Amino acid sequence: TMVAILAILKAGGAYVALDPHYPRERLAFMLADSGAEVLLAQRNFAGYFPDWSGKTILIDDLLCGPPGSGVNLPTGADSQSAAYVIYTSGSTGVPKGVVALHRGALNRFAWMWKTYPFGRREKICQKTSLSFVDSVWEIFGALLQGVPVVSVSDAIGKDPRLLVDQLAEHRVTRLVLVPSLLNELLARCRNLARRLQRLKYCFCSGETLSKELAARFRKALPVCRLINLYGSSEVAGDVAGYECGDGAGDSTIPIGRPIANTQIYLLDDYLQPVPIGARGELYVGGDNLARGYLHRP
């Protein structure tokens, strides 16, 4: 899968991830709505789309075929080119495809590399479905720095005990988790500080990180740093970050401050800044913004 994504981006294209665990009706909608011209699939999944009339390329055949020429081909992509399209859940109606740019992804990577630089012998765990934006950082945030990626299957990624076994075996140093899975991991796994001695960073995003969960994390993994990230697919994953300390003065875990080249505003109904302590709506600007919703204003 990673080789396929690299090939698409190298060719100057953008990818739409079709998770085979999704209902086939949703997958068919995404394929049609995106206007994709090519379906790249493993042979056992190609039959998921009986009404698909576009071009189909089977990864199985490519991997078994003759090697390429070895020539480093030029790519037509630049910072303003689309890199991928990720569809929203559709909770407000019809799912919308977010057209994310190379610029946003690279800005997020550069902030992470500078703020939490890689050290020697680091490894990242890749466990997030390609239909979610955190997968982009897990893959390319590591590979673009020459850091190995440990790919974990869906079955292992959703089982805390099996996941810890994999993290320990491969000496993973960085992990992205939603708080609900982190809660399960802390509740069901013992001796984490001993088993995960190499784990240096745990990044939480996608859900609210509670003060109680952060306190349990610090007790179980006192050496590992816990970072609370806030964002969405529309802003290349993350626009704010907060590193959890001892939490003594926090009534809640904040979402933190904007990442590099990003602005955050809290505005009222008239788009005017609200005073400190007042309720407002969050607006984001800067390099992380996606181009917009595909085929929609």
Side-chain angles (χ1 to χ4, degrees):
T1 300
M2 291 187 192
V3 172
I5 291 175
L6 285 167
I8 292 168
L9 295 176
K10 182 64 176 176
Y15 68 91
V16 182
L18 300 172
D19 190 328
H21 292 97
Y22 280 6
R24 295 196 187 188
E25 293 79 10
R26 177 180 169 91
L27 295 177
F29 166 79
M30 293 164 60
L31 191 58
D33 183 75
S34 66
E37 299 179 28
V38 177
L39 174 63
L40 190 60
Q42 290 174 271
R43 186 178 300 277
N44 54 323
F45 293 125
Y48 271 40
F49 310 101
D51 298 327
W52 167 248
S53 58
K55 184 177 182 179
T56 299
I57 297 177
L58 300 179
I59 299 177
D60 316 58
D61 295 342
L62 294 178
L63 296 178
C64 296
S69 66
V71 176
N72 189 18
L73 300 174
T75 176
D78 58 26
S79 65
Q80 299 299 317
S81 300
Y84 56 88
V85 175
I86 285 184
Y87 276 79
T88 63
S89 62
S91 57
T92 58
V94 178
K96 298 185 289 291
V98 178
V99 184
L101 307 179
H102 284 267
R103 178 190 65 186
L106 288 170
N107 184 67
R108 182 191 184 203
F109 299 164
W111 169 79
M112 190 77 78
W113 294 332
K114 184 176 180 179
T115 309
Y116 304 105
F118 285 112
R120 295 181 58 195
R121 296 185 297 174
E122 289 224 38
K123 294 180 182 178
I124 277 190
C125 172
Q126 198 284 306
K127 50 166 279 302
T128 305
S129 166
L130 298 180
S131 298
F132 293 94
V133 70
D134 282 338
S135 65
V136 181
W137 158 253
E138 288 177 332
I139 297 172
F140 296 107
L143 293 185
L144 288 173
Q145 293 286 292
V147 173
V149 176
V150 178
S151 185
V152 172
S153 69
D154 288 338
I156 292 176
K158 294 175 181 177
D159 187 312
R161 292 192 179 96
L162 294 178
L163 178 59
V164 169
D165 288 342
Q166 288 284 298
L167 297 176
E169 178 184 350
H170 295 285
R171 300 183 178 184
V172 167
T173 61
R174 300 192 185 207
L175 176 65
V176 177
L177 286 177
V178 292
S180 54
L181 181 55
L182 177 60
N183 179 61
E184 287 292 303
L185 191 148
L186 294 177
R188 296 173 57 184
C189 303
R190 299 288 180 263
N191 303 317
L192 290 176
R194 178 179 58 81
R195 300 185 63 194
L196 303 180
Q197 295 181 32
R198 295 294 302 276
L199 190 63
K200 299 168 61 177
Y201 295 99
C202 182
F203 298 95
C204 270
S205 64
E207 300 167 356
T208 300
L209 177 62
S210 70
K211 183 177 179 180
E212 180 271 338
L213 182 57
R216 287 168 53 206
F217 177 91
R218 283 189 294 272
K219 184 176 181 180
L221 290 161
V223 177
C224 185
R225 297 163 71 177
L226 178 64
I227 293 93
N228 186 35
L229 299 175
Y230 176 82
S232 68
S233 299
E234 289 86 344
V235 287
D238 302 313
V239 291
Y242 175 82
E243 184 166 346
C244 303
D246 59 17
D250 296 332
S251 58
T252 60
I253 302 295
I255 64 170
R257 296 187 177 277
I259 70 170
N261 304 308
T262 303
Q263 299 82 43
I264 289 181
Y265 307 93
L266 287 172
L267 307 179
D268 61 19
D269 292 342
Y270 302 98
L271 302 185
Q272 296 301 307
V274 299
I276 292 175
R279 186 183 298 272
E281 194 164 14
L282 189 144
Y283 285 72
V284 178
D287 286 350
N288 263 42
L289 289 184
R291 179 183 295 163
Y293 294 117
L294 190 63
H295 309 315
R296 290 174 174 82

